[in-house]
Amino acid sequence: MIELRNSAHIVTHGQAVYWVIDDEPLLLWASSKGVHPRESQIHALLEGIVPHRYLRNFSALNMAEQLSLCRSRVLVCGCGGLGGVVANLLARGGIGFIRLVDGDVFVPSNLNRQWFSDVAHLGWPKASAARDGMLRINPLVEIEAVDEPLDASNARSLLQGMDLCVDALDNLETRFLLDTWCRREGIALVHGAVSGWLGQATTFLPNRALGMESIFGKRRTRDALEESLGVPGPTVSLIGSLQAMEVMRLLAGKSPCYEGRLLYFDGESGQMSLIPLA
Amino acid sequence: MPLTVVLAASLRKYVADYDPAVGKKVDAAPGATVRQVAEQLGIAGEEVKLIMVNGRAGEWDTVLQGNERVALFPPVGGG
């Protein structure tokens, strides 16, 4: 019987003192119990011990909020530009279970912006490559990779058991499909989209009146000129980071920043606008 | 009456000399609506759902008084 407290030590961070524990004893504990490592981080937090890797989340998050993240289950739709950023940050943040969905493989034109693409992973399925990268970042979280596109046949089962969903897709048709299923299943959806130096993000909570049409109106395909603007790396990194922040806030029980309003960032003027949605 | 119209993404194609740093200075008839100003610039209205006037939510029928900053945001869809 391994007691986590015996492997923990005390550190001072800011003005507070914390009991912390490193990955290795947590992984050993999980292995000795025959459970997934994500159970070990939950168990530690319940005992008032912070996994050392989450220490700098404090006191932006408190113990109960970090515990809530570690118990959460999130679906990330799209593992390219936005999705790669979101998935990376959620793994670092300790979200207990992350399901990744993407039917594409990495190609050279992804390398300018997609965090899990690298020379060694060209030709790899994006979701699986992201899972491997995330487990190298944080072996305490559980990652499931689905190397298929989201569509009407799998949307419902992919959303099953999820606390929250992230829209990191790259086309309007699938964004609307995801919006429809999140509404039906009563799951919050954190939307992000980019083009060129422009980006946007918003949050749709369960039981909402507003949906994707409040942003795109009747449009169901991307404007050719908008699509031709490309996607530089900093734009997806910015919007993906804002999405990850919103996800962490929601899972921690904090109020959302972007419910009912669209954050619109214009990198050519530096202007950020919050546009009310109706 | 003078106005500044701020355009993003795909809408810039309608205004050849558009400067993203400052927007487009427009001289519109007093009491013009956002729709009339957009038409004056040759912007197709159905593309835009998101409008702000001086930082507040606007609509196509919002009446302008002059010196406002009218921003039209066509949504982006990439990832």
Side-chain angles (χ1 to χ4, degrees), chain A residues 211-224:
Chain A
M212 218 53 88
E213 71 287 341
S214 66
I215 303 171
F216 295 103
K218 292 188 168 62
R219 183 175 274 286
R220 291 295 179 276
T221 54
R222 293 179 64 193
D223 179 273

Side-chain angles (χ1 to χ4, degrees), chain A residues 160-180:
Chain A
Q160 207 86 54
M162 293 297 121
D163 298 308
L164 192 148
C165 180
V166 177
D167 169 14
L169 296 159
D170 63 358
N171 67 88
L172 299 198
E173 189 190 353
T174 318
R175 290 184 193 277
F176 273 90
L177 176 86
L178 183 62
D179 183 35
T180 301

Side-chain angles (χ1 to χ4, degrees), chain B residues 19-30:
Chain B
D19 179 352
V22 294
K24 170 75 177 170
K25 303 288 180 191
V26 176
D27 188 32

Side-chain angles (χ1 to χ4, degrees), chain A residues 67-79:
Chain A
L67 179 61
S68 179
L69 296 195
C70 291
R71 282 178 159 157
S72 294
R73 301 168 68 87
V74 173
L75 175 66
V76 178
C77 295
C79 299

Side-chain angles (χ1 to χ4, degrees), chain A residues 81-82 169-172 175 193-195 198 200 213-217 219 222-223 225-226 262 264 266 268-269 271 273-278, chain B residues 6-14 18 20-22 46-52 55-58 69 71-79:
Chain A
L82 293 170
L169 296 159
D170 63 358
N171 67 88
L172 299 198
R175 290 184 193 277
V194 291
S195 187
L198 307 162
Q200 66 191 31
E213 71 287 341
S214 66
I215 303 171
F216 295 103
R219 183 175 274 286
R222 293 179 64 193
D223 179 273
L225 181 75
E226 184 256 310
L262 183 81
Y264 196 99
D266 182 345
E268 292 193 273
S269 64
Q271 190 103 28
S273 308
L274 285 168
I275 308 165
L277 295 175
Chain B
V6 179
L7 305 172
S10 51
L11 292 181
R12 290 175 185 165
K13 67 187 172 194
Y14 294 106
Y18 186 80
V22 294
E46 71 275 11
E47 285 190 27
V48 182
K49 187 93 172 62
L50 309 164
I51 299 166
M52 290 186 91
R56 295 182 173 206
R69 188 172 183 277
L72 305 177
F73 302 92
V76 292

Side-chain angles (χ1 to χ4, degrees), chain A residues 257-269:
Chain A
C257 291
Y258 304 120
E259 187 206 2
R261 54 192 190 166
L262 183 81
L263 173 121
Y264 196 99
F265 172 74
D266 182 345
E268 292 193 273
S269 64

Side-chain angles (χ1 to χ4, degrees), chain A residues 49-68:
Chain A
I49 305 168
V50 179
H52 206 160
R53 57 167 52 251
Y54 305 136
L55 185 62
R56 287 299 188 274
N57 283 348
F58 291 71
S59 60
L61 297 173
N62 63 30
M63 201 71 86
E65 290 165 345
Q66 181 67 60
L67 179 61
S68 179

